[in-house]
PDB file of all heavy atoms in Angstrom:
ATOM      1  N   GLY G 226     106.088 155.150 121.118  1.00 89.00           N
ATOM      2  CA  GLY G 226     106.961 154.846 119.963  1.00 89.00           C
ATOM      3  C   GLY G 226     106.823 155.762 118.801  1.00 89.00           C
ATOM      4  O   GLY G 226     107.778 156.150 118.152  1.00 89.00           O
ATOM      5  N   ILE G 227     105.580 156.205 118.528  1.00 90.00           N
ATOM      6  CA  ILE G 227     105.351 157.109 117.390  1.00 90.00           C
ATOM      7  C   ILE G 227     105.955 158.507 117.684  1.00 90.00           C
ATOM      8  O   ILE G 227     106.537 159.155 116.827  1.00 90.00           O
ATOM      9  CB  ILE G 227     103.842 157.212 117.086  1.00 90.00           C
ATOM     10  CG1 ILE G 227     103.292 155.900 116.560  1.00 90.00           C
ATOM     11  CG2 ILE G 227     103.535 158.358 116.094  1.00 90.00           C
ATOM     12  CD1 ILE G 227     101.795 155.857 116.388  1.00 90.00           C
ATOM     13  N   LEU G 228     105.799 158.975 118.916  1.00 85.00           N
ATOM     14  CA  LEU G 228     106.392 160.275 119.303  1.00 85.00           C
ATOM     15  C   LEU G 228     107.875 160.341 119.112  1.00 85.00           C
ATOM     16  O   LEU G 228     108.421 161.406 118.770  1.00 85.00           O
ATOM     17  CB  LEU G 228     106.023 160.596 120.763  1.00 85.00           C
ATOM     18  CG  LEU G 228     104.582 161.002 121.054  1.00 85.00           C
ATOM     19  CD1 LEU G 228     104.422 161.286 122.559  1.00 85.00           C
ATOM     20  CD2 LEU G 228     104.129 162.198 120.234  1.00 85.00           C
ATOM     21  N   VAL G 229     108.560 159.203 119.300  1.00 83.00           N
ATOM     22  CA  VAL G 229     110.023 159.205 119.230  1.00 83.00           C
ATOM     23  C   VAL G 229     110.486 158.833 117.818  1.00 83.00           C
ATOM     24  O   VAL G 229     111.710 158.865 117.547  1.00 83.00           O
ATOM     25  CB  VAL G 229     110.574 158.217 120.266  1.00 83.00           C
ATOM     26  CG1 VAL G 229     112.105 158.303 120.376  1.00 83.00           C
ATOM     27  CG2 VAL G 229     109.991 158.535 121.641  1.00 83.00           C
ATOM     28  N   ALA G 230     109.591 158.479 116.927  1.00 84.00           N
ATOM     29  CA  ALA G 230     110.004 157.971 115.574  1.00 84.00           C
ATOM     30  C   ALA G 230     110.628 159.068 114.741  1.00 84.00           C
ATOM     31  O   ALA G 230     111.531 158.776 113.940  1.00 84.00           O
ATOM     32  CB  ALA G 230     108.802 157.387 114.878  1.00 84.00           C
ATOM     33  N   VAL G 231     110.213 160.309 114.880  1.00 78.00           N
ATOM     34  CA  VAL G 231     110.775 161.405 114.099  1.00 78.00           C
ATOM     35  C   VAL G 231     111.732 162.152 115.013  1.00 78.00           C
ATOM     36  O   VAL G 231     111.324 162.804 115.981  1.00 78.00           O
ATOM     37  CB  VAL G 231     109.661 162.347 113.585  1.00 78.00           C
ATOM     38  CG1 VAL G 231     110.298 163.482 112.768  1.00 78.00           C
ATOM     39  CG2 VAL G 231     108.673 161.610 112.730  1.00 78.00           C
ATOM     40  N   ARG G 232     113.013 162.028 114.693  1.00 71.00           N
ATOM     41  CA  ARG G 232     114.072 162.513 115.663  1.00 71.00           C
ATOM     42  C   ARG G 232     114.513 163.954 115.481  1.00 71.00           C
ATOM     43  O   ARG G 232     115.256 164.451 116.285  1.00 71.00           O
ATOM     44  CB  ARG G 232     115.288 161.615 115.528  1.00 71.00           C
ATOM     45  CG  ARG G 232     114.975 160.132 115.752  1.00 71.00           C
ATOM     46  CD  ARG G 232     116.193 159.279 115.368  1.00 71.00           C
ATOM     47  NE  ARG G 232     115.836 157.842 115.511  1.00 71.00           N
ATOM     48  CZ  ARG G 232     116.602 156.852 115.126  1.00 71.00           C
ATOM     49  NH1 ARG G 232     117.780 157.114 114.563  1.00 71.00           N
ATOM     50  NH2 ARG G 232     116.244 155.612 115.275  1.00 71.00           N
ATOM     51  N   GLU G 233     113.999 164.604 114.411  1.00 70.00           N
ATOM     52  CA  GLU G 233     114.482 165.961 114.125  1.00 70.00           C
ATOM     53  C   GLU G 233     113.584 167.071 114.697  1.00 70.00           C
ATOM     54  O   GLU G 233     113.934 168.225 114.636  1.00 70.00           O
ATOM     55  CB  GLU G 233     114.639 166.169 112.625  1.00 70.00           C
ATOM     56  CG  GLU G 233     115.751 165.393 111.979  1.00 70.00           C
ATOM     57  CD  GLU G 233     115.393 163.924 111.751  1.00 70.00           C
ATOM     58  OE1 GLU G 233     114.176 163.615 111.889  1.00 70.00           O
ATOM     59  OE2 GLU G 233     116.299 163.144 111.507  1.00 70.00           O
ATOM     60  N   ARG G 234     112.395 166.701 115.165  1.00 71.00           N
ATOM     61  CA  ARG G 234     111.451 167.709 115.638  1.00 71.00           C
ATOM     62  C   ARG G 234     110.741 167.181 116.888  1.00 71.00           C
ATOM     63  O   ARG G 234     110.666 165.999 117.156  1.00 71.00           O
ATOM     64  CB  ARG G 234     110.365 168.059 114.594  1.00 71.00           C
ATOM     65  CG  ARG G 234     110.895 168.768 113.359  1.00 71.00           C
ATOM     66  CD  ARG G 234     111.208 170.213 113.597  1.00 71.00           C
ATOM     67  NE  ARG G 234     110.047 170.994 114.109  1.00 71.00           N
ATOM     68  CZ  ARG G 234     109.146 171.537 113.314  1.00 71.00           C
ATOM     69  NH1 ARG G 234     109.229 171.353 111.995  1.00 71.00           N
ATOM     70  NH2 ARG G 234     108.146 172.229 113.811  1.00 71.00           N
ATOM     71  N   GLY G 235     110.189 168.118 117.715  1.00 69.00           N
ATOM     72  CA  GLY G 235     109.340 167.770 118.819  1.00 69.00           C
ATOM     73  C   GLY G 235     109.974 167.079 119.944  1.00 69.00           C
ATOM     74  O   GLY G 235     111.124 167.405 120.370  1.00 69.00           O
ATOM     75  N   VAL G 236     109.349 166.035 120.493  1.00 68.00           N
ATOM     76  CA  VAL G 236     109.757 165.320 121.681  1.00 68.00           C
ATOM     77  C   VAL G 236     111.139 164.716 121.470  1.00 68.00           C
ATOM     78  O   VAL G 236     112.010 164.754 122.360  1.00 68.00           O
ATOM     79  CB  VAL G 236     108.780 164.268 122.095  1.00 68.00           C
ATOM     80  CG1 VAL G 236     109.246 163.506 123.311  1.00 68.00           C
ATOM     81  CG2 VAL G 236     107.393 164.942 122.380  1.00 68.00           C
ATOM     82  N   SER G 237     111.391 164.104 120.319  1.00 65.00           N
ATOM     83  CA  SER G 237     112.625 163.391 120.100  1.00 65.00           C
ATOM     84  C   SER G 237     113.829 164.276 120.161  1.00 65.00           C
ATOM     85  O   SER G 237     114.948 163.874 120.592  1.00 65.00           O
ATOM     86  CB  SER G 237     112.584 162.695 118.694  1.00 65.00           C
ATOM     87  OG  SER G 237     111.589 161.688 118.656  1.00 65.00           O
ATOM     88  N   VAL G 238     113.690 165.535 119.681  1.00 63.00           N
ATOM     89  CA  VAL G 238     114.811 166.469 119.738  1.00 63.00           C
ATOM     90  C   VAL G 238     115.328 166.630 121.154  1.00 63.00           C
ATOM     91  O   VAL G 238     116.527 166.667 121.433  1.00 63.00           O
ATOM     92  CB  VAL G 238     114.425 167.808 119.101  1.00 63.00           C
ATOM     93  CG1 VAL G 238     115.533 168.823 119.294  1.00 63.00           C
ATOM     94  CG2 VAL G 238     114.134 167.617 117.635  1.00 63.00           C
ATOM     95  N   LEU G 239     114.372 166.782 122.106  1.00 65.00           N
ATOM     96  CA  LEU G 239     114.741 166.957 123.480  1.00 65.00           C
ATOM     97  C   LEU G 239     115.284 165.669 124.100  1.00 65.00           C
ATOM     98  O   LEU G 239     116.270 165.691 124.848  1.00 65.00           O
ATOM     99  CB  LEU G 239     113.540 167.457 124.312  1.00 65.00           C
ATOM    100  CG  LEU G 239     113.022 168.850 123.905  1.00 65.00           C
ATOM    101  CD1 LEU G 239     111.795 169.148 124.727  1.00 65.00           C
ATOM    102  CD2 LEU G 239     114.066 169.924 124.107  1.00 65.00           C
TER     103      LEU G 239
END
Side-chain angles (χ1 to χ4, degrees):
I227 293 173
L228 287 180
V229 186
V231 180
R232 301 171 186 172
E233 290 78 13
R234 292 286 301 275
V236 177
S237 294
V238 173
L239 296 176

